[in-house]
Amino acid sequence: MKAAATGVPIAFAGCLGGDGGDGDGNGGGDDGSGETADTPDSGGVSDEENALLWGGSVPVQSLDPHFESAAATARVLENITQGLLRVNWDYDLEPLLAESWETSDDNLEITFSLREDVVFHDGTEFTSEDVIESFRRIRDGEAIAAGYMDRVDSMETPDDHTFVMRLAEPFAPMLFRMATSDMHILTAEQAQQDSISEPIGTGPFQFDSIEIDSEFVMTKFDDYWDDELPYLDKVTKLEISDDDNRLNTFNAGEVDFINDVPPRHAEDLDADEDVDFIRRFPKSLTYLGVNCNEPPFDNRDARLALEYAIDKQEVMEAALYGQGQVATSPASPGSQWEHPDLEPREQDFEKAQEHLEAAGYPDGFEATFQIPEQYNDQVTAAQVIEASAAQVGIELDIQQITWSNWLSDVYSDQNFQATTSSYLALWFPDAGFHRPLHSDGAFFFTGWEDQEYNDLIDEARTMYDMENRAPLYHEAAEMLKERRSGHILLYWAPTLMARHNNYTGEVMSPDGSTFRFEGTQLE
């Protein structure tokens, strides 16, 4: 939800497959680690020297792949649990636990041929029964991806290594949703549990231990189905939420790798020959969320007044030291889903005053502004927004809260007036247009409900042809701006990471949303 959530937002917390289309051509660039290290002859040595120390920015709180929305969870689960498919570096879908799949001519039936050489971390064999039980858990437990399973008419397991899903109607995002941790496969036995604290997966690493807010450990799975992977024996994530502390720990050589480098230090690290600085854009979309069910933001004019008070370029420059880009729509920059002509709303105090008067607040209004304290860029952004809003009489009371309190009070209970959050720039448009903004979306919490918008997004989800589908998302972006949804989009942020030169291999997933440690090594 950094995300999530991107981040998703995990989560919140954003590709054309050979078996159906739902791509967005999200062209992530890599200014620091585009080269992948040569493949070692073996999986490395079994000693502590082959253990990676990772300084992480957001603590892992939960390890249930189907119910936990935080990006921090997705980043470790990507290495522990696996789905039938995943996205590759061409932004296509590639087989993972499924060796192949076929889609019927009417796009209603998908038949998966499953790998036969796979075992779970507890030694049990992977079969189609694990797939169907995992998907039933998602469907019946109202999991994050439950809305996708609502589109499924039936599921069958003709044999141990064949799984058939039949849809009630064409649904373009289904295969691409399967490539996220929200639809990863657990053992049939574990899939029958209400909650999961120690996931049993088929990935290259297995869960070892967790100390909340302190440390997360995963170790090499010796019976992984790809005999050549992984190269590392152990990955230990040290939870270091404070940006400066995390960077100091890295500079002191106490960790090998850190994510979420403070933007103000990006240029210095990029110039350091002893550091491999990695920048990939975009990672996540940060927005100002307002509660459309409560005064004053239940009024469109009040929302517009606040937006007209904001200089979004100034907010981005202050929060990211110029490392990002002002946002205009929920579509990833450079994708075909992005509106080609839409411009962000410019700061205009006169128009802000006009909308204040139209809303019945000619002298302005007061509102609480709850900010997750560990996201330094959002704290800075909030301070800039607070100062600008005050110039038109909008008094925002910044309250810095913990991430856990944000999840419970703001996201779950919707007890807020204004806040900031972000979600990950995943490669399929559902990530930005449906999950946070459609009233049935998994990350919907700001209360802005518009049936015409919902119908438009629902229609887009049934279309497989990109040329016909993209204009619907362009229209949806116009609608979000004109009707002033509960998400006032601020900026797209990049992934900024740093590692010492002895740590090599591609650690990022292709879309930049998570990490894959299987192909990395310590030299």
Side-chain angles (χ1 to χ4, degrees):
M1 195 171 156
K2 169 145 184 191
T6 203
V8 82
I10 207 102
F12 249 178
C15 150
L16 266 179
D19 302 88
D22 185 35
D24 80 358
N26 175 4
D30 187 344
D31 297 338
S33 68
E35 296 183 3
T36 300
D38 294 335
T39 302
D41 293 332
S42 67
V45 294
S46 297
D47 56 38
E48 202 65 12
E49 293 180 359
N50 201 33
L52 178 73
L53 289 176
W54 163 24
S57 58
V58 181
V60 177
Q61 299 286 337
S62 168
L63 290 166
D64 194 319
H66 301 152
F67 290 92
E68 175 56 58
S69 60
T73 295
R75 286 170 179 160
V76 296
L77 286 178
E78 180 78 7
N79 304 275
I80 295 172
T81 55
Q82 295 181 312
L84 299 182
L85 323 165
R86 73 176 180 180
V87 67
N88 65 21
W89 285 95
D90 293 322
Y91 288 91
D92 293 331
L93 292 177
E94 67 179 13
L96 195 58
L97 291 180
E99 287 187 321
S100 62
W101 68 93
E102 295 181 359
T103 304
S104 61
D105 292 340
D106 60 4
N107 291 315
L108 292 179
E109 188 169 279
I110 314 171
T111 302
F112 298 89
S113 297
L114 308 180
R115 291 186 181 275
E116 300 185 13
D117 55 350
V118 178
V119 294
F120 284 95
H121 299 154
D122 65 355
T124 59
E125 180 186 0
F126 163 68
T127 71
S128 58
E129 187 67 17
D130 303 302
V131 178
I132 197 169
E133 288 297 331
S134 293
F135 288 170
R136 283 172 179 165
R137 182 177 193 262
I138 295 169
R139 179 196 64 195
D140 299 340
E142 299 184 0
I144 295 170
Y148 289 72
M149 295 304 299
D150 288 343
R151 308 299 184 103
V152 177
D153 188 53
S154 64
M155 296 183 290
E156 300 175 3
T157 55
D159 58 56
D160 283 350
H161 297 99
T162 304
F163 173 71
V164 181
M165 173 181 285
R166 186 161 187 84
L167 303 174
E169 61 181 349
F171 187 53
M174 178 59 81
L175 287 172
F176 300 86
R177 199 72 170 99
M178 288 183 180
T180 68
S181 60
D182 300 337
M183 295 188 73
H184 276 184
I185 308 304
L186 303 167
T187 65
E189 179 180 358
Q190 192 165 58
Q192 294 173 16
Q193 299 176 12
D194 292 336
S195 62
I196 292 168
S197 58
E198 299 183 7
I200 300 171
T202 57
F205 293 91
Q206 58 189 344
F207 170 79
D208 182 271
S209 63
I210 183 172
E211 295 180 25
I212 301 296
D213 295 330
S214 179
E215 180 182 278
F216 173 85
V217 181
M218 54 187 171
T219 56
K220 175 180 179 178
F221 179 44
D222 290 329
D223 293 325
Y224 183 52
W225 53 266
D226 187 334
D227 294 337
E228 296 184 357
L229 299 175
Y231 306 134
L232 297 169
D233 291 322
K234 184 178 181 181
V235 176
T236 298
K237 182 190 181 196
L238 302 178
E239 308 290 16
I240 313 174
S241 297
D242 182 78
D243 282 352
D244 290 329
N245 187 18
R246 188 168 60 257
L247 182 60
N248 291 338
T249 302
F250 173 77
N251 286 334
E254 296 175 14
V255 294
D256 305 295
F257 159 71
I258 58 171
N259 64 295
D260 287 348
V261 167
R264 64 185 180 277
H265 295 294
E267 292 186 8
D268 291 339
L269 287 171
D270 197 18
D272 190 337
E273 295 182 355
D274 294 326
V275 172
D276 181 12
F277 177 70
I278 304 168
R279 182 185 189 276
R280 182 169 292 116
F281 181 84
K283 177 191 71 172
S284 60
L285 171 59
T286 297
Y287 61 91
L288 165 57
V290 295
N291 191 340
C292 297
N293 289 325
E294 301 289 341
F297 297 116
D298 57 347
N299 186 295
R300 172 180 174 271
D301 284 297
R303 301 195 295 270
L304 282 169
L306 175 58
E307 185 174 23
Y308 272 118
I310 301 171
D311 183 334
K312 297 178 182 178
Q313 183 69 28
E314 180 186 17
V315 171
M316 186 276 292
E317 292 285 348
L320 300 180
Y321 287 74
Q323 294 289 323
Q325 176 180 314
V326 173
T328 57
S329 89
S332 295
S335 72
Q336 62 264 52
W337 315 117
E338 183 184 31
H339 195 298
D341 303 314
L342 198 65
E343 296 292 333
R345 198 167 261 123
E346 298 289 339
Q347 185 183 58
D348 189 322
F349 290 148
E350 289 186 5
K351 289 185 178 180
Q353 185 61 44
E354 290 175 8
H355 284 287
L356 281 173
E357 293 174 2
Y361 301 105
D363 299 323
F365 55 78
E366 297 179 358
T368 58
F369 198 14
Q370 294 173 290
I371 312 298
E373 62 186 5
Q374 70 268 44
Y375 295 119
N376 290 348
D377 67 303
Q378 294 182 33
V379 172
T380 301
Q383 292 167 345
V384 175
I385 292 169
E386 176 196 36
S388 296
Q391 297 188 53
V392 295
I394 299 175
E395 301 295 333
L396 298 175
D397 177 20
I398 294 179
Q399 301 173 356
Q400 295 190 41
I401 60 177
T402 65
W403 177 239
S404 59
N405 284 342
W406 190 95
L407 287 172
S408 61
D409 298 346
V410 177
Y411 176 64
S412 296
D413 296 341
Q414 297 175 20
N415 182 21
F416 76 105
Q417 289 181 294
T419 188
T420 58
S421 189
S422 62
Y423 49 82
L424 296 174
L426 298 178
W427 69 98
F428 57 103
D430 251 32
F433 286 94
H434 186 274
R435 289 198 290 176
L437 291 162
H438 190 291
S439 56
D440 292 332
F443 297 155
F444 179 80
F445 76 100
T446 57
W448 179 78
E449 297 194 45
D450 187 292
Q451 192 57 49
E452 188 176 355
Y453 176 85
N454 290 348
D455 292 343
L456 185 65
I457 298 303
D458 288 339
E459 181 183 358
R461 299 173 100 199
T462 68
M463 302 173 69
Y464 287 78
D465 184 274
M466 286 191 296
E467 290 187 4
N468 294 328
R469 191 178 181 203
L472 272 65
Y473 290 111
H474 300 165
E475 183 180 350
E478 294 174 2
M479 198 177 293
L480 292 169
K481 179 181 178 182
E482 175 61 27
R483 302 182 185 183
R484 190 55 281 143
S485 73
H487 283 52
I488 299 174
L489 307 182
L490 297 176
Y491 53 80
W492 289 98
T495 291
L496 301 178
M497 301 179 293
R499 60 183 177 182
H500 298 295
N501 288 329
N502 68 319
Y503 178 44
T504 61
E506 183 53 70
V507 67
M508 288 300 301
S509 65
D511 71 316
S513 68
T514 188
F515 302 139
R516 295 177 183 172
F517 293 100
E518 70 217 50
T520 66
Q521 60 179 313
L522 287 167
E523 296 178 346

